[in-house]
Every structure is written in C-alpha cells, then in structure tokens.
Amino acid sequence: MKPLRTLCLLLTIFVSGSLSHALEAQTLLIDSWPETVPGAPAPGRKVAETLPAYRGTEVHHLLYLPENYDPSRRYPVLVELTGNRWAYGNGTVEEAHLGYSITLGRDFIWVVPPYVNRAGTANETTWWGDADRTVAYLKELVAHLVGNWQADPRRIFLCGFSRGAIGCSYIGLHDDEIARLWCGFLSHDHFDGQREWKGQDWGSPLTKYRQEAAERLKRVDGRDWYVSSNGRARSPYPEVLGTMGVAGFGNYFFATVDIRKRFPTIPNDWFGSAHNDCWPAFDLPESARIRYWLRRVDNRLQGVKVWKRDYVEAEAVAGFGMIVDSGTPGQQACIYADLPTDSCRVVELVYREDDGAPVRLSSATNPREFRFGLPAGSRRLTFRFGWDGRRSPEYTLSRE
C-alpha cells in the first residue's frame, strides 16, 4: 500500500555554477492501487478467481468490482493483459495496473486474465505460454463475467501494456470467435507486428511475423483502438500499420506520453522505468485524454446521444469537450483538458439555455476532468482555459 497522494520529484539543477533544487509534484488521483485480498468479490475489492476447468491448479485471474458497483445494472469491462517478467516487473496478474489506473476504480469492472502455461497448471509470466489455452480461458472468462458479475457483453474492452499491448492482437484477435468479444481496444507501449522478437517462433523473422500480424489485425473490423506509446516523438504505430497494409481496418487514435518529462526522477516510489502502466493514475493531460476516449466510446455503445464534440487548439492550449444525454432529471457534461502546461485549468464554465442566460457551473475534483449536471433545457455550453495569468478564447459545445 502506498498512502501518499503526491509524488514529489527532487531535481538537482546547476544554475550559473550554483546548486539549486526544484521540487516537482505529480498528483496521484487514487489513494493506492488495490492489493489482492482473500474472499469473495465485492465492490472495491480485488480478488483471485479460478474458472471451473482449472480448479486444483494455480491458474487464476483477478477480478475487481468497481467501488460503486450495483448488482442491478450492467457494467462495462476492462480486460487487461499484463506485461512480461523483466527487471521492473514479475509478469504476474498481481502486478497489473493499467485498467485500474485508467478507471480509477469506478464505473468499470476490471479483470486481469492469465496467460496459461503449456502444462495448463499455472500462469505464465513470460510471453504466451500455451496461446490456445490462453485464448480459450479468455472466452470462458467473458462468459463468466456476463453470467455472474453483470458485465455488459456489448461493452467489453481489451487493454494491455507491453507484452499485453501485443497480446491485444496476438491473443485478442487470435481467431474470429475471440475477436468478436471486444467492443474496443487500448494498448500502451508495443504493438503486434511493430518489431521482430528474435528467439520467438511467433515473432521472427520479421516478414513472416508481420504477415501473420496483419491477418490478425484485419479482425479489428472497424472498431476503436487507443494506441499509446511512451516517448517524445510522434507515435511510430501509424507507420507500422501502414507497412502491414492494415491501417484502414480499425478506427485508431494514436497518442504519446513523455514519461521522462512528466516524471524526471525515475526510478521513484511508484515505478522503476519510463516503460510502465501506472502513469494514467496521475493527474496528467495524457491521462485525461485516455479517459475521455474510453467514456466517448462507451457512451456511443450504450446508444447515448452525444452532443457535438469540440476539439479546440489555440494559443498552445487544447481541450476535449463532451455533453451527453443522461436521462431524468437532465444531462451530464464533461470537459477533458489536454494541456501542454501543468498550470492550465478550466477557469470558466457556463451553460446557456434557450434564452441565452449564462449560469456558472461547479467543476469536479480532478482539475483536468470536469463533470457536472445540466438542466434538461440546456442548448449550449461554453468554457475557457486559464494558465500563467492568461485566458483562452471562449469555446462552445452545442447540440447537433
């Protein structure tokens, strides 16, 4: 358990031959990542489960029911494939962070399946184990979630970090049957077909590997995929998809996050490498962006009417906005700031009813992710950003 909510990074800087210290803080939006606990699943608890076919073995998955879980309603699911065993991680399901870091423990069921080893006796910590067994486990797991834990079969997302990012395709698109389970995909750092994995029959030589990866990626079949990568440069993955000839088979959103810029001190109390799956839990513009993407896709899958989306870029400031009809008594509005400076905040939020009268709204706790209710008659929302003593122009969201 890590009770601190702020990660302090002490930087040593030489200025004109003198030594000064700059303290940079990144705010953690959760108290800590949940520990695995014994017992039955319950809201806000992460527990181990084993499917009936593997009882008596060490094969298991982890299940987390959101803290606001209500057994009378259906929930979207993030199924997370974990990374490999390496210097900064042991490759177990217990070390998964990405799904919880994105959802912050609310509104989504989070589940971490195993890669089943070749003997079918335990979880595999490096690469795929027996890929066919792993694929079969995921198929049974989804049925288990739908039948026992109120998972909505129309809203099951597959996500992964590192090995798991490759696995979103290598495992998640292994055949037509498993490919149909997912409504969308999120991956961070690596991608199926990106590079050769020498010493692995499935990952080399590169030409053969990419031919097989291309066949898998055709099964994306137009669905949404958030493709994230660590680094300062633009995402390498559009070129990879183009080289394989499959860029048009999915609705891809490419994003980068410069972990070393955001966290100049690595290792730190939270992770040992820039290659990590913890960063979405921190108050970063890149974190707000991935949550916005997830909410937008999930709303569309529910048939929720979304107001016209406005993506604004002006004076080095950008933001996402979304307004959705949420039924009685009114609507819900969200603004997600995607900002190049940590000092930037939304400083003015007003809605205008048909008569044009402005009313100021309150914001949510997260300074980059604003949620609030709107009266049913609202037709237009306007907002401004403020940073470093300046204010942006007024941006508008309106009904289509």
Side-chain angles (χ1 to χ4, degrees):
M1 298 289 286
K2 300 181 177 70
L4 297 177
R5 290 184 57 84
T6 300
L7 170 63
C8 294
L9 307 174
L10 185 62
L11 311 180
T12 303
I13 303 173
F14 290 91
V15 180
S16 301
S18 63
L19 181 66
S20 65
H21 297 280
L23 190 65
E24 178 175 319
Q26 294 290 5
T27 300
L28 188 61
L29 300 174
I30 56 176
D31 291 328
S32 66
W33 288 271
E35 300 287 348
T36 305
V37 297
R45 287 166 53 90
K46 185 176 73 170
V47 302
E49 286 192 320
T50 298
L51 293 179
Y54 286 94
R55 284 177 185 157
T57 74
E58 296 180 7
V59 177
H60 63 283
H61 62 268
L62 298 184
L63 173 65
Y64 177 89
L65 300 179
E67 60 187 48
N68 57 339
Y69 180 79
D70 177 351
S72 69
R73 54 169 290 218
R74 289 284 187 180
Y75 283 85
V77 182
L78 270 186
V79 178
E80 177 180 350
L81 296 172
T82 62
N84 270 329
R85 181 182 183 89
W86 71 306
Y88 297 103
N90 60 25
T92 65
V93 294
E94 286 76 15
E95 282 213 349
H97 300 95
L98 185 64
Y100 189 87
S101 296
I102 293 171
T103 66
L104 307 180
R106 296 182 58 83
D107 302 330
F108 282 75
I109 295 170
W110 172 44
V111 63
V112 187
Y115 307 93
V116 183
N117 71 2
R118 294 183 185 277
T121 58
N123 294 3
E124 180 59 67
T125 58
T126 303
W127 294 123
W128 318 119
D130 185 322
D132 290 334
R133 288 181 187 269
T134 300
V135 168
Y137 195 102
L138 262 70
K139 293 175 183 177
E140 295 178 33
L141 176 58
V142 169
H144 168 72
L145 296 171
V146 172
N148 294 280
W149 299 113
Q150 291 297 92
D152 188 336
R154 304 168 304 149
R155 301 157 64 202
I156 299 178
F157 294 83
L158 183 63
C159 71
F161 160 67
S162 194
R163 167 180 56 165
I166 302 169
C168 285
S169 172
Y170 189 83
I171 297 296
L173 300 176
H174 189 80
D175 59 43
D176 291 341
E177 183 183 2
I178 194 172
R180 286 193 292 268
L181 296 178
W182 322 117
C183 65
F185 308 83
L186 302 89
S187 57
H188 178 67
D189 271 3
H190 295 323
F191 201 84
D192 198 12
Q194 171 196 359
R195 48 158 286 189
E196 181 177 8
W197 297 96
K198 293 183 178 181
Q200 303 296 326
D201 291 342
W202 59 269
S204 65
L206 183 59
T207 299
K208 173 178 172 289
Y209 172 37
R210 282 188 166 175
Q211 289 172 346
E212 295 172 348
E215 291 304 308
R216 290 187 287 269
L217 288 163
K218 289 176 182 177
R219 297 190 179 109
V220 178
D221 196 26
R223 282 168 287 186
D224 294 274
W225 195 318
Y226 192 99
V227 185
S228 174
S229 59
N230 168 45
R232 297 173 180 167
R234 64 183 179 84
S235 172
Y237 302 124
E239 182 178 351
V240 172
L241 288 165
T243 299
M244 292 191 290
V246 291
F249 284 84
N251 184 23
Y252 293 101
F253 184 94
F254 301 100
T256 60
V257 53
D258 189 345
I259 299 296
R260 291 200 175 277
K261 177 182 176 182
R262 297 299 184 188
F263 303 91
T265 300
I266 299 175
N268 54 53
D269 288 344
W270 304 106
F271 45 81
S273 169
H275 181 60
N276 75 83
D277 59 355
C278 299
W279 63 268
F282 290 86
D283 178 24
L284 307 175
E286 297 87 354
S287 306
R289 181 166 57 198
I290 197 169
R291 276 189 281 278
Y292 165 77
W293 179 93
L294 183 61
R295 296 284 181 181
R296 176 173 60 85
V297 175
D298 186 53
N299 277 319
R300 191 179 69 238
L301 291 166
Q302 296 177 77
V304 175
K305 183 177 179 182
V306 179
W307 286 28
K308 182 178 179 181
R309 182 172 70 112
D310 192 14
Y311 180 72
V312 295
E313 290 190 55
E315 300 184 44
V317 176
F320 293 109
M322 178 171 63
I323 302 178
V324 300
D325 290 325
S326 58
T328 306
Q331 303 154 74
Q332 181 180 1
C334 304
I335 290 178
Y336 298 79
D338 177 22
L339 310 169
T341 170
D342 291 335
S343 66
C344 190
R345 296 291 182 262
V346 176
V347 294
E348 182 179 321
L349 291 163
V350 299
Y351 68 80
R352 289 178 171 81
E353 299 180 78
D354 290 335
D355 62 2
V359 180
R360 183 175 295 276
L361 298 172
S362 61
S363 67
T365 303
N366 180 357
R368 289 198 184 87
E369 186 172 325
F370 294 83
R371 303 181 191 180
F372 37 85
L374 295 177
S378 302
R379 304 290 298 180
R380 191 156 56 112
L381 172 75
T382 64
F383 59 95
R384 295 179 188 270
F385 294 114
W387 74 102
D388 298 335
R390 296 185 292 167
R391 288 199 172 199
S392 75
E394 183 179 89
Y395 302 119
T396 300
L397 291 168
S398 58
R399 273 195 183 277
E400 293 182 320

